[in-house]
Amino acid sequence: MIALLFSLFIATMGLNYFKLTKTGNALFFVTLAMCIYWLKFHATTPLTIQL
């Protein structure tokens, strides 16, 4: 999942570099929403480690 997020951020930078700012900004906000979902999922998942 983290590799997907990094590749989407790289795609966003590439789109902005080639002056496709509307598409780049849209992809940025979609990727940002995915990051928030990923963080919430991992922050609220109980650990399976038996201490």
Side-chain angles (χ1 to χ4, degrees), residues 3-35:
L4 172 69
L5 294 173
F6 278 127
S7 63
L8 287 173
F9 277 125
I10 290 170
T12 299
M13 289 187 287
L15 288 170
N16 284 322
Y17 179 77
F18 290 115
K19 307 286 192 267
L20 299 170
T21 55
K22 287 184 180 181
T23 309
N25 287 341
L27 184 60
F28 172 75
F29 287 117
V30 168
T31 307
L32 190 62
M34 290 172 65
C35 285

